Amino acid sequence: MPTSTAAPADPPATGYRSLLRNREFAGLYAGFTLTVAASTLSGFALGTLVDHQTASPFLTAVSMYGATFATVLGALTLMSVADGSRPRRTLVILQCAALVGVAAQAVPGLPLAVRFALLLALGFFQSLGAGTRMGLIAEVVPAAAYALARSLMNITAGGTAVLGYAVGAALLRRLSPREVFVIAAVLTGLGVAVIAATVRERSIRPSRRPGLRQTWTTNTELFSRKGPRALLLNLWVPGGLIVGCEALFISYAPAHAGVLLAAASAGMLLGDLAVGRLLTAAQRHRCVFALRLLLAAPYLLFGFHPPAPVLTAAVFVSGAGFAATLPLQERLLALTPDPVRGQVQGVESAGRMTWQGIGAAIGGGVAQYLTPGAAIAALAALSLAVTLASRACEPAGAAGLRPPPARP
């Protein structure tokens, strides 16, 4: 088992086409793409609906990213299902549960309290689904191609979000939020069908009994180690605060919110493409700190209210900084034994999503007392401060996690 956070060896010559020739990975990839598209459309529709009904920056921000609050519940309770002996069945069931939640948002006249409750349920299922999906990806692609696979997934998330926000803004000029929710439900259903048709059940996993006890045992081991703990801090907090900045776009400039969100996603796409495809493992390892600074610094401009094109360019540049997650995720995987890598990747994803919700809540709360522009600049400054402070916590080496014993 690896015991160092040194940069992993460079992968063999391969590319995205090679990955997509793997039928199972292609199925997971397509299902993920459809799920992201559905989530983007439904989140933008719900944020617009809440903004029209309440005119509250706080509620609007929380409605767009509120599902992320519940991901921590999945990480703390049942995330061990991600390493169960039948991950394909688990993923299909979780995707079906997400389909029900998205479809329920289309019910006319639904009270806002019910909509927020549905968001929390969706976040719970999404966190378990993310862990299961990442565990499967780590099994269906070679270990040396894992960073490339995550890069492709991140690029797809960014590109799909660009299209989703642009299409969502266009659709909401002609359709009601309820009708956009219906479209999102159809996309989610297609994602379920693709996964069910392409991914086979894995038979190589040890027989383990997932549940609260197993989840807590692995989580305790994870957070007791300085190396993984520092990596998780860097993966979660700075980026989550920047997502809080993005959650204020509708309140800051309603007419340009779609463009700003699309620019952020486009920058993320370009950054992941460059870092994941063009850089070697050693180069990715060296550029982590600079990327995290790039992620936050451009948002300081919002405090000065420059013209919209300047802000759009700044947001685009900042989006490239999200590529820092790739080398950090490589380090985390190197510290994780095979029997629990689904759960650890799920905890990482759940914590990242939870901090996105926390960032949105912090941003919305600050914007209640300051202007949205000042709140965005304040969150950017806090993200920079966390990045600078956490650099000292990055270990030069760390022990890995011990795999839990298999249960009969």
Side-chain angles (χ1 to χ4, degrees):
M1 181 173 62
T3 58
S4 173
T5 56
D10 291 341
T14 187
Y16 296 134
R17 291 183 181 178
S18 174
L19 284 172
L20 292 173
R21 283 195 290 268
N22 181 323
R23 182 172 182 267
E24 288 187 275
F25 176 78
L28 290 168
Y29 169 77
F32 171 75
T33 302
L34 290 165
T35 299
V36 171
S39 177
T40 302
L41 286 178
S42 61
F44 195 67
L46 184 58
T48 302
L49 186 150
V50 172
D51 184 59
H52 288 167
Q53 290 188 7
T54 68
S56 167
F58 175 77
L59 292 178
T60 300
V62 171
S63 69
M64 292 185 67
Y65 297 97
T68 60
F69 285 114
T71 58
V72 71
L73 299 178
L76 294 176
T77 57
L78 296 178
M79 188 58 75
S80 56
V81 303
D83 293 303
S85 59
R86 304 189 69 178
R88 173 191 175 275
R89 182 181 65 176
T90 300
L91 184 57
V92 169
I93 291 173
L94 291 169
Q95 289 288 98
C96 287
L99 171 60
V100 172
V102 173
Q105 292 282 11
V107 174
L110 207 62
L112 286 182
V114 177
R115 293 192 184 278
F116 280 108
L118 286 171
L119 275 181
L120 294 178
L122 279 172
F124 181 79
F125 293 126
Q126 286 173 354
S127 68
L128 301 181
T132 306
R133 184 185 296 109
M134 290 302 106
L136 280 167
I137 288 174
E139 291 180 9
V140 303
V141 303
Y146 180 78
L148 193 67
R150 291 300 296 261
S151 168
L152 180 57
M153 302 290 271
N154 291 348
I155 289 169
T156 300
T160 305
V162 170
L163 294 175
Y165 288 128
V167 171
L171 288 175
L172 287 169
R173 291 191 178 98
R174 297 179 177 273
L175 304 177
S176 68
R178 174 179 171 273
E179 292 169 315
V180 176
F181 286 134
V182 171
I183 295 173
V186 171
L187 293 175
T188 305
L190 289 174
V192 176
V194 168
I195 291 171
T198 58
V199 180
R200 67 180 177 87
E201 195 63 90
R202 316 304 293 181
S203 59
I204 63 174
R205 298 186 179 194
S207 177
R208 299 169 64 232
R209 184 181 303 168
L212 182 62
R213 181 179 179 181
Q214 185 65 65
T215 299
W216 273 94
T217 298
T218 301
N219 286 350
T220 300
E221 179 71 14
L222 173 65
F223 288 102
S224 68
R225 305 283 179 167
K226 181 180 178 181
R229 190 170 62 241
L231 288 172
L232 291 173
L233 169 68
N234 292 325
L235 278 161
W236 292 349
V237 182
L241 292 170
I242 297 307
V243 171
C245 296
E246 296 177 2
L248 294 174
F249 285 168
I250 291 178
S251 300
Y252 178 84
H256 299 287
V259 174
L260 291 172
L261 288 167
S265 298
M268 184 175 70
L269 185 156
L270 180 62
D272 280 316
L273 176 62
V275 173
R277 187 69 181 93
L278 303 180
L279 300 185
T280 66
Q283 289 169 335
R284 287 194 295 269
H285 182 79
R286 288 195 295 268
C287 73
V288 170
F289 181 65
L291 286 170
R292 284 184 287 159
L293 294 178
L294 180 66
L295 177 64
Y299 278 92
L300 296 174
L301 290 175
F302 278 82
F304 303 96
H305 303 285
V310 174
L311 290 178
T312 301
V315 168
F316 174 80
V317 171
S318 168
F322 278 109
T325 60
L326 290 175
L328 293 174
Q329 287 164 345
E330 281 185 297
R331 296 186 201 176
L332 184 63
L333 185 68
L335 292 175
T336 306
D338 291 351
V340 296
R341 57 188 174 186
Q343 179 174 341
V344 172
Q345 294 298 308
V347 168
E348 183 273 321
S349 176
R352 190 156 31 90
M353 294 177 68
T354 298
W355 263 97
Q356 291 174 6
I358 292 173
I362 293 173
V366 172
Q368 294 286 111
Y369 300 96
L370 304 177
T371 65
I376 291 172
L379 261 66
L382 182 58
S383 178
L384 283 172
V386 172
T387 292
L388 292 170
S390 67
R391 191 183 193 190
C393 300
E394 293 182 10
L401 302 173
R402 293 186 297 272
R407 303 177 71 96

